[in-house]
Amino acid sequence: MRQAVRNYLVFLWRCGRLAFSGDWRYYTWMGALSVFCLLGLNAYAKQFANGLIVTGMSDEVSWGVYIANFTFLVGVAAAAVMMVIPVYIYNNEELHDLVIFGELLAVAAILMCLAFVTVDLGRPDRFWHLIPGIGQFNFPASMLSWDVLVLNGYLLLNVHICGYLLYCRYRGRAPAKWFYIPFVFIAIVWAVSIHTVTAFLYVGLGGRPFWNSAIVGPRFLASAFTAGPALIILAMQVVRRVTAFAPAGDASRLRGEMGGGPRPKGRAAALDDLDLLARHLAEMASVPKEFRQTILAGAMVLEAKAGDVLLRQGETENESFFVLKGRVVVRREEGGRFRITRSLGPGEQFGEISALAGTPRTGTAIAEESALILSLPVDSLRKLMTAPKMNKIIRSRMSERLLITDRALMTLRSIVQVSMLINVFLLVNEVFKEFYSGNLHVASAKYLFVGLHGHHALVPWIWTAIAFNLTAMVLLVLPVSRSLKWLNLTCVLCIVGIWIEKGMGLVIPGFIPTPLGEMVEYSPSLNETLVCFGIWAFGLLCYTVFLRMSVPILQGRLSKANEGASEFALSGAGERPARPS
Amino acid sequence: MVLLVLALVFFALGLKFVSGFGTRLPATRIISLVDTQFLDTATFRKSYAQLIREKADLSDFDCYACHEKGKPPVLKFDAQQILIVPKEHEDVVMKHGTHNRNNNCFNCHDEQNLELLQARDGRQIKLVESPLLCGSCHGPTYRDWEAGAHGRTGGYWDRTAGPMKRQICVDCHNPHSPKIPPRKPAPGPHLLHPAAAVAAEASH
Amino acid sequence: MPTPTSNTNERDQSSPDGLSRRSFLRSSAVLASGLAALAASLAPLRHLNDFPTVEQFLQKYYKELTPEEMKKVLTRIENEVERQYGLRPHVRDLKPMNGVEFVYALNLTRCIGCRKCVHACVAENNQSRNPEIQYIRVLRLPHGSLDMEKAEHNYNPEMVPEKGYFYMPVQCQQCKNPPCVKVCPVHATWQEADGITVIDYNWCIGCRYCEAACPYWARHFNFTKPSIPKERLNLDMAYLGNRPRRQGVMEKCHFCVQRTRVGRYPACVEVCPVGARKFGNILDPESEVSYILRTKRVFIQLKEELGTSPRFFYYFDV
């Protein structure tokens, strides 16, 4: 028990150290974010001292950019987890690595949501009044009480799932399915609920006809599933770029070369080699000796020197490999740059996906140091996988690849495409309903789209948002957005368009005109804007730290096995791979 | 290098925060306190009954200081048969009813006894009971007033806790020109953010 | 410790972690300055308007206070007001009277739009003068329409009433089915037995959800510390009524609980110069409001279609 606690604390400590280490780009990025966080904190201190009068809000427009950002970010948090559906329900392997990043984005988004709600409170020192049991919790009547429950529950769910999966990977263990799969499915349902509950905050108010409409909930979800995956598409490309190893041509920094180097020499495998494997792979140890004999047909053992290439990206061969001794690094080349996807030690496997699927190799495997590699032809591999325990461990490890492929991004693009189409369709529905009948309840919609009684501050904003959304929709439908350059532009248009639409296009017009017909407009004060920037910077800071910790874990570079290793070696790109001491 | 710059930036930021450089709180404009006349619960006018309660100067109501007892005053009318108000009573403006319906002082006052009022059937009514006279024509309003629905009520709604203060007709209505005169309103509301007010004004 | 990675030639070979003294100092400098900036960023808290005391922070929910605890709270409030204004008030916790349900009736034929009710309310209930909080808002509407979009809030003619318009004062309607009570996440506002929807100012967290929910724009928020002129402070206070509020909490018309629960009329009723405002106990058939609801044939509840069932009735005479 003490050992388990010690292990976990060491894990946290190493993760924490990692958060502070990086190259100059990392420090610049984190430094800039910290500056904004501090400016935001200072602005909030001013607000705490002087009251909400330092914002642009008033009795007439009593919710502003804080709640607008909150609404947008709840959508992002919900959408981040919705990527889980293709992976766990449709077994889409391409998206597998993105699931963790999506959930980490959800965690960061929820933290931002909680921050935005807290800064909006008039008396945040009375937060304990909200705690069920201790305070007075108006559940189930108040939708805000629902929101408190679902947001915090969602945070815990995602922290558990990510934390557990990452810790298991760190420990080199296969995660126990019962301990996370049920939570994943709960999280899927919960993700829809957090955004629906947030929508119901607005929909339930009969006194605000602009919000009191059934279409608000579906619009929320449609816009969330547009903006969320769009954010992930952009974020994943950033991750891809900053975890890139070295530009092509700088490969001499590695001990090894791409496209040169002969295959290492090999000999036929024997039972002793399988024993060696069994020492490092517990599941192998449970395979009976008679069975092991049957898989030796065609099996080879390769003696690799440091730098020897074991398999090459793009080739179609059907061997799979197990590391018996030493370490192997798997790299992937994309767009002239290399990226380490995995660093493997004894007992670990590579090349099995392409062997089983008959697809080209997705990366190049190079021995980091002198290594002994077991090579199995695909028939032997299939035979081996008839043993249940081996099947389980091989399959679970297959799904643990850190691969952000372009195909994964294209899958996300499809999600954004469909969601944006639905979003625009719902917008058309809303505009028709508001303007066709000509009844008096359209005052807020009129104010938003065309101006009312000489007030038209929001009109340019909403039309910009509509232009962005329509352009994005057209681009998404056309094949041109399959190219990453256009896709990125489209994603930016989606995110900005939906941010404006959800924030200024939904929250603010609900207050103008007031229920008594008064027209008072709203614009955020400088202080308010600084607080918003501060919270966004905080969220980005959190997400960067999460990625900083999780990428090395997923790549195998931060694991229990190399606990004593130099931290120096784990930080940033352009470094020599870790050496176990 | 980056770290050094960062340290300097943090230091500068700290100085800015502590010194409050560049800080501007929204300027508070002056909103003057409302004039106390708008908080006054007194009625528009003081009726004879009220003057009696206050033990004020009642000389205005001493009719026989000028008139002769037993001699009903004679009314004068002009060419269009409209009453000419004598100049001793020039403060009285006859505007009780359109179309000169109340063109005769003795529709309400008793010419035989100027200290009394008279109903149309000749009944005499004391000045302090003037609502009876008003009610003899203004039936629905009188019924409402009796129930408390017309006119001002003050004091206690719970009669067991204290008295309700009901005003009589002439506490508010001048019997000769009963229409409530227009008056200056109290100031309107001030918006929280003056800039928003400026924008609102500009667009009207 | 943060480890710089871009300058490998600075690595001190003798230290096991590859950490050099220079990089250690550098990263400590950043950490120290960062922490200093963090502390400095909180500098505005020096000017905190009023930080809650431990007692204020821990005060229990109104409905959970025992009579002894309530007594302590009332004394504490009296002390606070005395400390701030130099005058000692009398704060009571008044409970609803038995057999009473309050109803308000407003005669739209009579209202002249003079706004005396607005200011009498402000004076009676110790509302902030700057920024201005007013529970009552008088709307000027053109003859023949109740469309709020046509309302003018800031009319300022030489004389009222103006020809062609009528005036409609709006305040909390004390709805039978109040949306504000439904949405408050902490039960800081609730409806009492006599029909008044009250707020526990010491429990409200200032989320302003009730303000968004109210269809009558009746709820108001203290965007900063309220300012009440000492010379106009009303010292006759009630806990759920007109005791001074603090920054960050909601407030609204509460039918002058400090008056009505001892049998008096609210301030707005007393000051109305034309007797347009009528108030009383609907459960008493002899009250003027019972009479009005019995005899007047047309009366309006604002936004009736929303199902809020207001206890505020607008009626006409002629």
Side-chain angles (χ1 to χ4, degrees):
Chain A
M1 181 61 201
R2 249 185 40 209
Q3 184 67 13
V5 172
R6 179 217 160 255
N7 284 339
Y8 194 65
L9 289 174
V10 168
F11 164 68
L12 289 176
W13 168 250
R14 294 179 79 196
C15 286
R17 283 187 63 160
L18 212 49
F20 282 94
S21 48
D23 63 356
W24 68 271
R25 292 176 302 172
Y26 183 73
Y27 283 130
T28 313
W29 170 246
M30 297 298 264
L33 288 180
S34 306
V35 166
F36 275 106
C37 281
L38 288 172
L39 284 170
L41 189 61
N42 178 250
Y44 181 64
K46 261 187 236 157
Q47 184 186 291
F48 192 83
N50 295 295
L52 281 148
I53 198 172
V54 303
T55 69
M57 294 186 275
S58 56
D59 267 341
E60 290 82 8
V61 184
S62 48
W63 278 343
V65 279
Y66 294 157
I67 301 297
N69 275 308
F70 162 79
T71 309
F72 177 73
L73 286 166
V74 172
V76 168
V81 146
M82 292 314 280
M83 294 188 335
V84 168
I85 289 184
V87 172
Y88 282 88
I89 299 186
Y90 296 108
N91 287 312
N92 180 328
E93 288 301 323
E94 293 281 357
L95 279 184
H96 214 284
D97 291 323
L98 279 71
V99 167
I100 292 234
F101 297 138
E103 289 180 349
L104 289 171
L105 180 65
V107 173
I110 292 287
L111 289 174
M112 282 197 268
C113 287
L114 294 174
F116 271 118
V117 165
T118 308
V119 300
D120 186 65
L121 287 180
R123 292 235 62 108
D125 51 301
R126 294 184 185 170
F127 70 93
W128 67 269
H129 293 180
L130 269 170
I131 303 174
I134 306 180
Q136 285 287 317
F137 201 56
N138 188 7
F139 183 85
S142 167
M143 281 295 125
L144 247 181
S145 68
W146 282 79
D147 229 357
V148 167
L149 282 180
V150 297
L151 284 181
N152 285 295
Y154 192 68
L155 179 66
L156 288 174
L157 266 176
N158 280 301
V159 165
H160 166 68
I161 296 171
C162 295
Y164 180 67
L165 287 179
L166 286 171
Y167 189 54
C168 282
R169 182 70 73 90
Y170 171 83
R171 292 295 303 269
R173 285 209 203 117
K177 283 211 149 59
W178 65 268
F179 204 56
Y180 79 98
I181 294 276
F183 295 105
V184 167
F185 282 98
I186 294 176
I188 292 177
V189 177
W190 206 283
V192 174
S193 82
I194 62 169
H195 215 24
T196 310
V197 166
T198 306
F200 283 178
L201 277 181
Y202 299 99
V203 174
L205 301 183
R208 307 262 177 195
F210 186 67
W211 293 339
N212 188 219
S213 159
I215 211 172
V216 172
R219 268 209 90 187
F220 265 37
L221 288 170
S223 56
F225 296 156
T226 312
L231 257 174
I232 294 177
I233 289 176
L234 295 176
M236 289 304 98
Q237 287 176 71
V238 172
V239 171
R240 232 171 35 172
R241 186 165 279 272
V242 298
T243 59
F245 204 77
D250 209 1
S252 53
R253 291 188 70 188
L254 270 181
R255 299 221 218 120
E257 281 170 356
M258 180 78 163
R263 275 291 158 73
K265 282 203 305 279
R267 55 161 174 80
L271 274 175
D272 289 339
D273 303 306
L274 294 179
D275 285 338
L276 180 56
L277 181 61
R279 248 185 276 148
H280 296 292
L281 186 59
E283 287 78 359
M284 188 68 190
S286 68
V287 174
K289 284 206 158 48
E290 311 77 55
F291 189 73
R292 291 188 202 180
Q293 187 65 41
T294 59
I295 68 167
L296 282 178
M300 304 270 288
V301 170
L302 308 172
E303 290 171 14
K305 301 188 307 295
D308 279 349
V309 172
L310 298 155
L311 54 82
R312 279 199 192 85
Q313 185 172 336
E315 286 176 344
T316 47
E317 290 162 357
N318 60 3
E319 284 104 25
S320 62
F321 302 89
F322 284 87
V323 180
L324 297 177
K325 209 169 76 162
R327 289 198 76 82
V328 168
V329 66
V330 178
R331 314 188 309 214
R332 190 175 156 72
E333 186 203 351
E334 258 170 28
R337 290 164 75 83
F338 297 119
R339 196 162 55 82
I340 285 189
T341 60
R342 292 278 288 165
S343 167
L344 305 160
E348 299 195 82
Q349 71 212 36
F350 59 99
E352 74 287 359
I353 296 182
S354 41
L356 289 170
T359 49
R361 303 293 195 191
T362 50
T364 301
I366 300 174
E368 282 183 55
E369 54 197 31
S370 301
L372 265 177
I373 313 290
L374 175 69
S375 154
L376 287 179
V378 65
D379 295 326
S380 297
L381 180 64
R382 290 216 173 91
K383 202 104 192 269
L384 186 58
M385 285 168 76
T386 58
K389 280 206 175 136
M390 281 307 292
N391 186 41
K392 193 163 156 221
I393 187 66
I394 289 177
R395 285 214 172 272
S396 77
R397 284 201 179 158
M398 261 168 65
S399 60
E400 293 167 2
R401 289 285 176 258
L402 181 58
L403 217 56
I404 302 176
T405 58
D406 281 1
R407 271 184 46 191
L409 296 180
M410 290 303 127
T411 310
L412 285 175
R413 169 185 171 274
S414 320
I415 298 177
V416 178
Q417 180 189 62
V418 172
S419 302
M420 180 54 102
L421 283 166
I422 296 177
N423 191 36
V424 171
F425 174 67
L426 292 176
L427 169 69
V428 170
N429 272 268
E430 212 176 323
V431 168
F432 177 81
K433 175 245 179 194
E434 295 280 11
F435 290 104
Y436 181 79
S437 63
N439 71 41
L440 291 180
H441 283 206
V442 302
S444 292
K446 259 211 207 133
Y447 168 72
L448 176 63
F449 288 106
V450 298
L452 186 63
H453 299 316
H455 299 265
H456 42 65
L458 285 184
V459 174
W461 288 92
I462 191 63
W463 286 105
T464 309
I466 291 178
F468 280 10
N469 284 347
L470 287 176
T471 311
M473 181 185 79
V474 168
L475 285 174
L476 282 166
V477 165
L478 295 175
V480 68
S481 57
R482 285 187 191 277
S483 102
L484 282 179
K485 197 176 56 174
W486 283 98
L487 182 61
N488 291 342
L489 169 69
T490 311
C491 286
V492 170
L493 289 176
C494 286
I495 294 165
V496 174
I498 285 168
W499 187 91
I500 296 176
E501 190 183 64
K502 246 180 173 159
M504 310 165 108
L506 173 93
V507 176
I508 312 299
F511 291 105
I512 302 173
T514 68
L516 296 184
E518 203 181 358
M519 301 283 304
V520 175
E521 295 193 277
Y522 162 81
S523 62
S525 65
L526 174 64
N527 209 67
E528 213 174 348
T529 314
L530 283 176
V531 174
C532 289
F533 280 174
I535 296 178
W536 271 95
F538 171 70
L540 286 169
L541 205 75
C542 285
Y543 194 50
T544 312
V545 167
F546 294 158
L547 290 176
R548 188 81 191 83
M549 299 196 277
S550 58
V551 167
I553 293 176
L554 292 171
Q555 288 176 330
R557 293 193 296 142
L558 176 66
S559 71
K560 188 159 190 330
N562 60 9
E563 210 168 79
S566 159
E567 298 309 322
F568 174 63
L570 291 168
S571 44
E575 291 314 313
R576 300 214 311 262
R579 270 168 176 274
S581 53
Chain B
M1 182 54 204
V2 171
L3 288 179
L4 218 51
V5 171
L6 210 51
L8 284 171
V9 168
F10 282 150
F11 190 63
L13 214 53
L15 281 180
K16 173 199 184 312
F17 291 152
V18 171
S19 69
F21 174 78
T23 313
R24 246 181 308 111
L25 272 184
T28 39
R29 73 202 136 151
I30 315 272
I31 300 178
S32 43
L33 288 182
V34 76
D35 193 313
T36 45
Q37 64 161 299
F38 295 114
L39 304 173
D40 190 4
T41 55
T43 51
F44 286 140
R45 58 194 306 274
K46 286 207 168 85
S47 62
Y48 179 62
Q50 177 67 9
L51 291 173
I52 292 178
R53 275 194 293 269
E54 286 176 11
K55 301 193 175 32
D57 173 22
L58 297 172
S59 55
D60 265 353
F61 291 82
D62 188 7
C63 311
Y64 288 110
C66 301
H67 290 274
E68 265 184 60
K69 276 209 168 98
K71 188 162 169 232
V74 176
L75 297 178
K76 292 205 176 56
F77 295 84
D78 66 11
Q80 280 85 25
Q81 301 299 314
I82 300 193
L83 179 72
I84 300 172
V85 177
K87 65 170 169 11
E88 291 86 353
H89 288 298
E90 65 190 355
D91 55 320
V92 171
V93 180
M94 289 298 289
K95 267 183 146 165
H96 194 139
T98 56
H99 301 82
N100 288 304
R101 274 177 291 169
N102 266 317
N103 208 13
N104 192 318
C105 311
F106 302 121
N107 282 352
C108 294
H109 288 280
D110 187 348
E111 65 271 27
Q112 303 299 334
N113 182 350
L114 294 171
E115 284 166 352
L116 290 178
L117 304 164
Q118 65 176 336
R120 281 176 310 154
D121 57 2
R123 246 184 323 137
Q124 286 180 317
I125 299 171
K126 295 212 206 62
L127 264 180
V128 295
E129 291 170 354
S130 54
L132 288 170
L133 172 60
C134 309
S136 69
C137 284
H138 298 284
T141 309
Y142 183 78
R143 280 193 291 280
D144 276 354
W145 174 79
E146 270 192 315
H150 182 101
R152 296 179 60 167
T153 47
Y156 287 78
W157 61 265
D158 180 7
R159 316 301 150 78
T160 63
M164 172 172 71
K165 198 170 42 149
R166 180 180 299 144
Q167 310 294 147
I168 60 170
C169 320
V170 292
D171 281 326
C172 294
H173 297 281
N174 181 331
H176 306 114
S177 306
K179 186 173 154 79
I180 305 281
R183 55 206 54 249
K184 187 167 173 334
H190 296 88
L191 287 176
L192 184 68
H193 298 293
V198 171
E201 292 297 304
S203 63
H204 273 224
Chain C
M1 285 305 136
T3 1
T5 57
S6 38
N7 301 322
T8 49
N9 52 359
E10 286 186 13
R11 206 160 24 123
D12 184 353
Q13 297 294 343
S14 62
S15 86
D17 250 341
L19 211 57
S20 73
R21 183 170 302 137
R22 259 175 55 193
S23 61
F24 175 76
L25 280 175
R26 203 178 312 174
S27 32
S28 307
V30 178
L31 204 61
S33 61
L35 288 173
L38 181 71
S41 70
L42 300 173
L45 293 178
R46 288 179 301 189
H47 308 297
L48 200 52
N49 268 329
D50 57 336
F51 198 71
T53 63
V54 175
E55 291 164 320
Q56 287 172 340
F57 179 70
L58 292 176
Q59 184 185 324
K60 294 210 300 239
Y61 182 51
Y62 173 82
K63 289 187 187 169
E64 290 181 350
L65 290 169
T66 64
E68 296 76 41
E69 285 169 332
M70 174 51 96
K71 220 157 158 286
K72 276 210 214 97
V73 168
L74 295 175
T75 316
R76 194 192 79 216
I77 293 174
E78 287 173 356
N79 294 337
E80 284 163 14
V81 175
E82 189 174 20
R83 212 174 320 129
Q84 191 176 348
Y85 296 97
L87 302 160
R88 192 168 183 84
H90 177 44
V91 186
R92 291 169 293 176
D93 175 36
L94 294 164
K95 301 292 183 196
M97 296 158 78
N98 281 329
V100 169
E101 188 185 337
F102 292 123
V103 152
Y104 212 112
L106 205 147
N107 193 336
L108 286 178
T109 319
R110 306 293 169 201
C111 177
I112 56 170
C114 67
R115 292 198 186 107
K116 281 179 85 168
C117 52
V118 175
H119 293 280
C121 168
V122 166
E124 168 70 24
N125 291 301
N126 294 321
Q127 290 159 40
S128 173
R129 305 312 200 269
N130 194 350
E132 201 177 68
I133 293 186
Q134 292 172 342
Y135 295 165
I136 304 172
R137 179 59 68 94
V138 183
L139 306 179
R140 186 191 73 182
L141 287 158
H143 276 172
S145 173
L146 276 176
D147 177 13
M148 302 288 195
E149 258 189 82
K150 300 201 179 80
E152 174 58 60
H153 294 234
N154 228 318
Y155 60 91
N156 223 340
E158 277 301 311
M159 296 292 192
V160 285
E162 301 158 279
K163 206 168 157 59
Y165 296 103
F166 69 98
Y167 299 88
M168 184 163 75
V170 182
Q171 65 213 64
C172 172
Q173 311 273 292
Q174 314 290 353
C175 311
K176 278 213 183 91
N177 185 15
C180 58
V181 169
K182 198 170 12 172
V183 300
C184 175
V186 289
H187 284 304
T189 189
W190 66 92
Q191 182 142 116
E192 301 234 292
D194 55 0
I196 305 182
T197 303
V198 295
I199 303 175
D200 180 357
Y201 310 116
N202 290 4
W203 194 255
C204 172
I205 59 173
C207 69
R208 307 187 300 293
Y209 195 13
C210 58
E211 192 167 16
C214 177
Y216 306 104
W217 198 69
R219 297 187 69 109
H220 302 275
F221 182 68
N222 283 285
F223 281 88
T224 186
K225 192 161 159 48
S227 78
I228 310 169
K230 208 172 73 165
E231 64 270 23
R232 300 220 176 159
L233 190 67
N234 178 2
L235 296 170
D236 179 26
M237 298 179 183
Y239 181 81
L240 293 172
N242 63 338
R243 63 182 173 100
R245 278 72 62 189
R246 6 166 23 135
Q247 171 178 305
V249 300
M250 302 296 301
E251 54 182 88
K252 68 171 189 67
C253 164
H254 44 74
F255 277 0
C256 285
V257 284
Q258 66 277 358
R259 283 171 162 248
T260 53
R261 285 187 177 173
V262 295
R264 296 170 63 197
Y265 283 105
C268 48
V269 174
E270 287 237 58
V271 84
C272 176
V274 295
R277 289 171 167 271
K278 295 290 157 211
F279 177 88
N281 176 10
I282 194 69
L283 300 176
D284 171 13
E286 306 290 309
S287 66
E288 53 262 45
V289 287
S290 295
Y291 172 85
I292 290 168
L293 292 184
R294 234 181 4 250
T295 58
K296 304 295 172 190
R297 274 176 302 164
V298 182
F299 35 86
I300 303 164
Q301 289 171 299
L302 284 184
K303 309 202 190 201
E304 192 178 356
E305 71 276 9
L306 296 181
T308 49
S309 217
R311 286 198 177 83
F312 211 101
F313 298 87
Y314 295 90
Y315 67 101
F316 310 87
D317 268 337
V318 294

